[in-house]
């Protein structure tokens, strides 16, 4: 299903007759969210939280009973009430998401799954057409804000180190493909699947699509957008670093690289974290090495190649994105992102204190998307629209008394580190 079909189905959704969904739809598709002050956005999110609770109480007997049992009045709920409703992402494994979906959710959507490489059942989440349309618009707007530029439709080319078959499974792959399609920007997949007979999982069948990689390297389109895991850009930079002069000349003759000229507006976008790659250097060191071999410019002046990192998960409709050296991770303006003390589950108000990351997306219409993936993060004050930015700390571990696995799609590093 392409972005045109998704938008057509979303725009004819019966749910748009509900005043709350209509309001959410108009806000997401508006143009002023990123211009609002932190205080006005905080008030807007509080209002949307109450309206979202009321929406789900109207649509689902299960949610109505949940609010009653939790002694939460949707019309006057506060952030402390939301903190008591968040669920661990592990509850969404297997068919765990199904009981949370309202009965009259729009049909015709798509299911996304986590990689399943943790050995547990993958998280599996249903996204209705209207939620898919919101996912693309909200994430694309957030991407452009963090990127610092507007992506001109029809300009540029992108290389994504994933296989096209993963578009139907991983939400991050779907978002990138649909967002670029909405911008009419060429997308090349840098991987493909080959049945090697050595395993049953998709990750064991991934091999590089050298033809597409070379096409990207030789392309003169601007900007060039390189989507990869941190390990992907690191391994490619290491390959250039250790090449002999003779081999570099031969490689450059064939591909125009190294260095890889990303052109005006070029950017490296990473995602998937570092799981499965024990020897990966710190992110700053990866960027430092990679900037020797990936070049970009702004207004015809060469600049340190921008590195953006995406914290996305199967269970959340929108990601958190940072831009190295410019801003730490920042959520979408309407996404309620907050920290809890992992021992007491009380809200952490102070800046600079590590806490359990919780996410609530009031613009999701299919289920009450309020969960914690098991990441510890630190909130820092910010002058940007959200008033706070977030720095990743670490994953909770069994030693902390936790056994959570984030349901992200870190397929690239998994592929690159497989035996």
């Amino acid at each position: 299903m392409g972005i045109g079909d998704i938008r057509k189905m979303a725009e004819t959704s019966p749910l748009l007759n509900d005043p709350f969904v209509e309001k959410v739809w108009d806000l997401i598709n508006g143009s002023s969210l990123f211009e609002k002050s932190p205080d006005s956005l905080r008030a807007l999110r509080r209002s949307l939280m109450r309206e979202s609770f009321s929406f789900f109480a109207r649509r689902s007997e299960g949610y109505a009973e949940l609010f009653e049992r939790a002694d939460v009045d949707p019309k006057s709920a506060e952030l402390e009430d939301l903190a008591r409703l968040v669920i661990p992402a592990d509850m969404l494994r297997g068919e765990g998401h199904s009981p949370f979906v309202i009965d009259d959710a729009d049909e015709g959507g798509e299911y996304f799954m986590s990689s399943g490489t943790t050995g547990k059942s993958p998280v599996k989440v249903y996204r209705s057409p209207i939620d898919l349309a919101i996912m693309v618009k909200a994430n694309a707007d957030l991407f452009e804000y963090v990127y610092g530029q507007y992506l001109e439709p029809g300009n540029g080319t992108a290389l994504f180190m994933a296989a096209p078959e993963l578009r139907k499974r991983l939400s991050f792959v779907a978002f990138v493909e649909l967002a670029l399609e909405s911008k009419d920007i060429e997308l090349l997949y840098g991987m493909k699947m080959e049945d090697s007979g050595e395993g049953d999982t998709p990750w064991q069948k991934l091999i590089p699509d050298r033809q597409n990689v070379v096409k990207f390297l030789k392309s003169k389109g601007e900007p060039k957008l390189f989507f990869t895991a941190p390990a992907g850009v690191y391994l490619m930079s290491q390959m250039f670093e250790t090449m002999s002069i003779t081999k570099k000349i031969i490689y450059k003759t064939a591909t125009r690289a190294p260095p890889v000229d990303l052109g005006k507006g070029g950017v490296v976008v990473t995602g998937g974290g570092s799981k499965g790659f024990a020897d990966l250097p710190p992110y700053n060191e990866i960027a430092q090495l990679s900037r020797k071999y990936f070049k970009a410019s702004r207004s015809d002046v060469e600049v340190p190649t921008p590195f953006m990192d995406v914290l996305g998960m199967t269970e959340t409709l929108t990601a958190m994105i940072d831009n190295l050296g410019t801003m730490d991770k920042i959520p979408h303006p309407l996404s309620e992102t907050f920290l809890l003390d992992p021992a007491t589950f009380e809200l952490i108000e102070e800046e600079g204190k590590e806490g359990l990351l919780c996410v609530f997306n009031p613009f999701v219409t299919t289920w009450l998307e309020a969960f914690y993936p098991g990441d510890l993060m630190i909130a820092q004050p910010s002058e940007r629209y959200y008033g706070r930015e977030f720095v990743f700390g670490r994953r909770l571990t069994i030693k902390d008394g936790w056994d959570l696995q984030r349901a992200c799609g870190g397929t690239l590093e998994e592929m690159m580190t497989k035996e």
Side-chain angles (χ1 to χ4, degrees):
M1 190 159 55
I3 186 61
D5 294 327
I6 289 170
R7 282 202 65 88
K8 191 179 297 181
M9 293 175 70
E11 288 166 356
T12 56
S13 167
L15 280 180
L16 279 177
N17 294 322
D18 187 290
F20 167 68
V21 178
E22 182 184 18
K23 179 178 179 178
V24 165
W25 180 257
D26 290 344
L27 284 168
I28 290 289
N29 286 289
S31 58
S32 62
L33 282 176
F34 291 85
E35 298 167 2
K36 293 183 183 298
S37 70
D39 285 343
S40 64
L41 281 174
R42 197 172 295 113
L44 177 57
R45 289 197 299 272
R46 193 61 45 88
S47 170
L48 286 177
M49 179 184 72
R50 294 167 179 167
E51 292 175 66
S52 171
F53 286 5
S54 296
F55 168 79
F56 283 104
R58 289 198 306 274
R59 295 277 175 173
S60 163
E61 192 175 318
Y63 281 112
E65 291 175 355
L66 170 66
F67 296 136
E68 188 172 343
R69 286 201 307 275
D71 196 23
V72 173
D73 181 355
K75 294 179 180 176
S76 59
E78 296 292 345
L79 200 52
E80 289 78 4
D81 297 313
L82 174 61
R84 291 191 287 121
L85 296 174
V86 291
I87 62 169
D90 264 11
M91 285 185 68
L92 305 174
R93 295 189 182 278
E95 296 302 319
H97 183 241
S98 298
F100 293 102
V101 177
I102 59 175
D103 291 337
D104 58 350
D106 284 343
E107 298 179 351
E110 299 184 19
Y111 286 90
F112 296 111
M113 298 171 66
S114 58
S115 62
T117 52
T118 60
K120 296 182 177 182
S121 296
V123 164
K124 180 181 172 185
V125 174
Y126 174 71
R127 298 300 186 189
S128 68
I130 193 169
D131 285 354
L132 285 171
I134 288 172
M135 175 185 80
V136 174
K137 183 66 169 64
N139 281 307
D141 287 350
L142 176 61
F143 182 94
E144 286 185 331
Y145 177 87
V146 178
Y147 175 57
Q149 295 188 62
Y150 175 71
L151 287 168
E152 292 288 344
N155 288 347
T157 186
L159 178 69
F160 193 176
M161 295 304 288
E165 291 86 348
L166 299 178
R167 152 69 180 88
K168 298 293 185 184
R169 173 169 179 141
L170 301 177
S171 58
F172 181 52
V173 178
F175 152 65
V176 172
E177 179 175 308
L178 292 170
L180 292 175
E181 182 189 348
S182 73
K183 291 281 188 176
D184 193 24
I185 294 175
E186 178 187 37
L187 170 61
L188 301 169
Y189 280 100
M191 309 297 295
K192 57 185 177 182
M193 286 194 179
E194 186 175 77
D195 192 0
S196 63
E198 294 180 355
D200 297 327
T201 70
W203 333 119
Q204 293 170 304
K205 299 176 181 177
L206 285 169
I207 61 170
D209 188 328
R210 300 188 189 285
Q211 187 174 354
N212 273 353
V213 173
V214 172
K215 184 178 179 182
F216 176 76
L217 295 176
K218 296 175 73 173
S219 171
K220 295 182 179 179
E222 294 179 317
K224 282 185 181 176
L225 315 173
F226 183 32
F227 294 88
T228 177
V233 67
Y234 174 68
L235 292 176
M236 199 165 176
S237 300
Q238 259 198 334
M239 179 186 74
F240 292 140
E241 180 83 352
T242 56
M243 269 183 178
S244 67
I245 293 177
T246 304
K247 196 168 182 181
K248 276 184 182 171
I249 293 172
I250 295 171
Y251 200 90
K252 192 174 183 67
T253 302
T255 67
R256 300 183 64 222
V260 180
D261 185 5
L262 299 176
K264 279 188 286 188
V267 63
V268 176
V269 185
T270 59
S274 59
K275 71 175 185 175
F277 200 98
D279 299 329
L280 202 63
Y283 194 79
N284 282 348
E285 292 181 22
I286 293 174
Q288 187 176 7
L289 172 65
S290 302
R291 281 171 172 162
K292 291 172 62 177
Y293 300 105
F294 289 81
K295 300 297 182 182
S297 62
R298 298 288 187 270
S299 304
D300 294 323
V301 177
E302 184 174 324
V303 297
T305 300
F307 269 70
M308 295 167 57
D309 187 65
V310 179
L311 177 62
M313 304 153 228
T314 304
E315 56 268 32
T316 178
L317 201 65
T318 55
M320 298 172 73
I321 310 177
D322 67 33
N323 189 331
L324 184 64
T326 301
M327 71 184 82
D328 291 318
K329 283 192 167 52
I330 194 164
H332 185 273
L334 298 184
S335 179
E336 189 69 77
T337 301
F338 56 99
L339 302 180
L340 295 180
D341 185 314
T344 65
F345 264 58
E346 293 181 351
L347 281 169
I348 295 177
E349 303 286 356
E350 313 97 282
E351 310 290 1
K353 184 177 179 182
E354 190 176 71
L356 179 65
L357 174 71
C358 297
V359 178
F360 169 57
N361 287 323
F363 38 79
V364 177
T365 66
T366 307
W367 71 296
L368 188 73
E369 190 167 287
F371 70 97
Y372 52 95
D375 291 324
L376 290 173
M377 301 191 83
I378 296 170
Q380 306 277 18
S382 169
E383 295 182 352
R384 300 181 185 279
Y385 64 85
Y386 206 80
R388 305 175 97 186
E389 296 172 22
F390 296 83
V391 179
F392 179 79
R394 63 182 177 88
R395 291 283 298 160
L396 285 166
T397 67
I398 294 177
K399 290 182 180 177
D400 295 312
W402 294 76
D403 184 19
L404 287 176
Q405 295 292 333
R406 187 193 304 136
C408 69
T411 59
L412 308 177
E413 288 172 53
E414 288 151 11
M415 176 275 299
M416 289 173 176
T417 56
K418 71 182 181 180
E419 295 294 331

